[in-house]
Amino acid sequence: MWFGGEDAADAGTKDNIVEISPFLTDRSFPEIAEVDAYWQALRGDRLMPARAELDPRGIKGALPNCFILERIAPGIGRIRLAGQRLDDLMGMEVRGTPFTTLFTPQYRKMIEELSEEVCAAPGVAQLALSAERGLRKPAIEARMTLWPLADDRGRPTRILGGLSFKGDVGRSPRRFQVASSRVKRLASATSATRQRQTAGFAEAPAPFVAKPEKPPTRSAHLRLVKTD
């Protein structure tokens, strides 16, 4: 359930439905593409949208693959809400558990640092994942994206996450390993304009070239003329 309970105070309006079909381009992991298009549309020319602006109807097709993290402390995030597909992967309800629960132990420190950078930069993190394998645990290829969200004070203390995967869940829990990751820093239209203006003022001044003085001409002198 995406609205209600402890999250009701953050829910805000439910009228933020944005048409996203023109933005969809990546068909390999459609849930990620759908959420990214919705987040970008809500964001507009700002750094990030607010948590209160999210409407579950805007990402209806990807909702089972989505989750919301709450930043408890630097590098520490708790899963506040999660879709059914994440519960299926872990074989339990993941709501209220640490975000790092979704990953194998050797990658948890990396995930803490990466999720902190999403809030601190702020930025959008993209991860290529693979699930650990074993008896009745077939291969799973996955993509995860983390988008920052502002709280009611404008601070990036929430993260909207999307997890899209190909393969059978098999025997749970299915924790992930990180194949690659990157964080793209964000800039609002206002700050980007300010940066361009600052760069213009910072250009090196043109060198000063002294012009040679012209020799004085006779017409340049004044004469006193006496008349009657």
Side-chain angles (χ1 to χ4, degrees):
M1 181 173 65
W2 281 81
F3 293 100
E6 67 170 339
D7 207 54
D10 293 338
T13 179
K14 296 185 180 181
D15 297 328
N16 294 301
I17 302 176
V18 180
E19 175 59 44
I20 62 172
S21 55
F23 299 95
L24 296 179
T25 56
D26 187 357
R27 301 294 179 179
S28 301
F29 297 91
E31 295 87 358
I32 296 293
E34 181 176 347
V35 181
D36 183 66
Y38 181 70
W39 184 88
Q40 296 286 358
L42 283 182
R43 175 196 179 200
D45 59 0
R46 301 170 296 171
L47 275 176
M48 72 196 86
R51 164 67 182 94
E53 295 178 66
L54 291 186
D55 188 316
R57 295 173 295 177
I59 49 175
K60 183 178 179 181
L63 206 57
N65 296 71
C66 293
F67 55 94
I68 290 181
L69 304 178
E70 179 182 13
R71 181 178 181 267
I72 304 298
I76 301 176
R78 176 172 64 96
I79 300 176
R80 188 157 185 169
L81 296 170
Q84 184 60 46
R85 295 295 277 162
L86 277 78
D87 292 347
D88 294 341
L89 283 166
M90 297 304 296
M92 66 176 190
E93 184 179 3
V94 298
R95 177 177 176 174
T97 62
F99 178 45
T100 53
T101 301
L102 303 179
F103 299 88
T104 56
Q106 63 267 40
Y107 291 97
R108 290 176 182 174
K109 181 63 176 178
M110 175 196 298
I111 293 302
E112 288 178 354
E113 295 173 350
L114 188 144
S115 59
E116 176 62 19
E117 188 174 357
V118 170
C119 291
V124 174
Q126 297 174 320
L127 299 88
L129 308 174
S130 62
E132 58 180 350
R133 301 186 63 177
L135 179 64
R136 292 190 288 122
K137 292 185 175 184
I140 292 180
E141 180 185 1
R143 297 291 184 272
M144 178 182 287
T145 302
L146 304 175
W147 299 268
L149 297 171
D151 60 18
D152 57 359
R153 297 183 180 180
R155 302 170 304 179
T157 59
R158 301 288 191 277
I159 292 176
L160 171 63
L163 175 65
S164 182
F165 63 90
K166 295 185 292 185
D168 296 328
V169 173
R171 183 168 61 90
S172 59
R174 302 302 306 275
R175 293 185 171 87
F176 289 99
Q177 302 167 329
V178 180
S180 64
S181 67
R182 66 174 184 175
V183 177
K184 180 181 179 180
R185 289 177 174 264
L186 299 170
S188 66
T190 302
S191 62
T193 301
R194 186 181 300 113
Q195 288 174 359
R196 288 195 296 271
Q197 292 174 341
T198 303
F201 283 114
E203 293 176 357
F208 174 77
V209 179
K211 295 182 179 180
E213 295 183 359
K214 294 181 179 180
T217 61
R218 296 182 61 86
S219 60
H221 296 277
L222 298 177
R223 291 187 303 165
L224 177 64
V225 179
K226 183 177 180 182
T227 61
D228 292 334

